[in-house]
Amino acid sequence: MIVTLIVVCEVGFWVLLAAGLALRYWAKMPRASVAVLLCEPLLEVLLFVVTAVDLKNGAEPDWKHGLAAVYIGYSIALGHYTVKWVDVRVAHRFAGGPPPSTPKYGVPRAIHEWKLAARWTAAAVIAMGLLQGAIWYVGDGGDTGSLEQWQQRMLFLIGINVIIALSYTVFPKKAPAVPAGRR
C-alpha cells in the first residue's frame, strides 16, 4: 500500500504542477494557480500520516517506509525548487517568458552547484530525521535494518552532491574561447 501511495503522490505532484501552470499561463487565472500549487504539500502530509499509521498497526519497517521518508525529504527540500524550475521553462516555452538562466561557467556555476548540494543535503537530513523517528517509533522489538540502510544511502547522497559541487569549485568549467575574428 505504501508503494502505491508513493506512486500516487508522485503522479499527484506532477498533475498538480501541470494543472497549476495551465491555470497560470493558459487560463490566465494566477490566483487559482497558486491555490492548486499550494495543495502539493498535502500529498506529503498524507504520505507521512499513512506511513506512521502503517507502522503503528504493526507493519515491519522495510524499504517502502524508507522510500516514503526519502520522498518526503525530497519534496520538502526540493519541491519548491522543482516547481520554480518547471515554471520558468513553461513560461519561456508557452508564455513568452525569458529563457531559463542557469550559470554554465566559472564561479557562478560553482555557486549554483553548492546551492543544489545544500538542497540535496537538506532533503537527505530531513529523510534521515524521519527515518530515525521511525526507528525510535518501532523500538527495540522490530527489525529496523532497512531503515538504517536508507540512512546510510542518504549519507552517500550527501557525499555525492558535495563531491560534485567541490569538483565545480576546484575544476571550474571555462567558457569556450571566442575566435579572434568573431569578437
Side-chain angles (χ1 to χ4, degrees):
M1 179 175 90
I2 298 293
V3 173
T4 303
L5 186 58
I6 292 170
V7 170
V8 167
C9 286
E10 179 67 14
V11 169
F13 174 86
W14 291 104
V15 167
L16 287 172
L17 180 57
L21 295 177
L23 285 169
R24 179 175 296 166
Y25 296 112
W26 289 294
K28 307 291 186 217
M29 300 171 64
R31 288 183 186 212
S33 169
V34 170
V36 168
L37 292 174
L38 286 175
C39 290
E40 288 188 347
L42 297 176
L43 296 172
E44 283 73 46
V45 171
L46 172 68
L47 181 59
F48 179 74
V49 168
V50 169
T51 302
V53 167
D54 192 42
L55 289 171
K56 173 88 171 147
N57 290 337
E60 278 296 314
D62 62 9
W63 67 272
K64 300 176 290 222
H65 299 97
L67 183 60
V70 171
Y71 178 79
I72 292 168
Y74 173 88
S75 296
I76 291 171
L78 286 138
H80 182 71
Y81 175 80
T82 303
V83 169
K84 284 176 58 177
W85 188 88
V86 172
D87 186 23
V88 167
R89 281 148 181 80
V90 169
H92 172 65
R93 174 89 175 168
F94 299 108
S101 63
T102 301
K104 295 182 181 178
Y105 308 109
V107 173
R109 179 58 188 238
I111 291 170
H112 173 76
E113 292 299 328
W114 279 109
K115 287 179 180 177
L116 277 178
R119 286 184 179 101
W120 278 106
T121 298
V125 167
I126 291 166
M128 287 169 46
L130 291 171
L131 290 162
Q132 189 60 47
I135 289 167
W136 290 333
Y137 187 68
V138 171
D140 294 334
D143 178 22
T144 58
S146 63
L147 301 178
E148 292 164 358
Q149 286 176 348
W150 275 106
Q151 286 181 318
Q152 292 170 357
R153 289 179 186 130
M154 294 301 95
L155 289 173
F156 180 74
L157 179 71
I158 291 170
I160 291 295
N161 279 280
V162 168
I163 289 169
I164 290 169
L166 189 61
S167 72
Y168 276 95
T169 303
V170 175
F171 307 107
K173 190 173 178 184
K174 294 179 179 23
V178 179
R182 294 191 179 185
R183 290 185 191 172

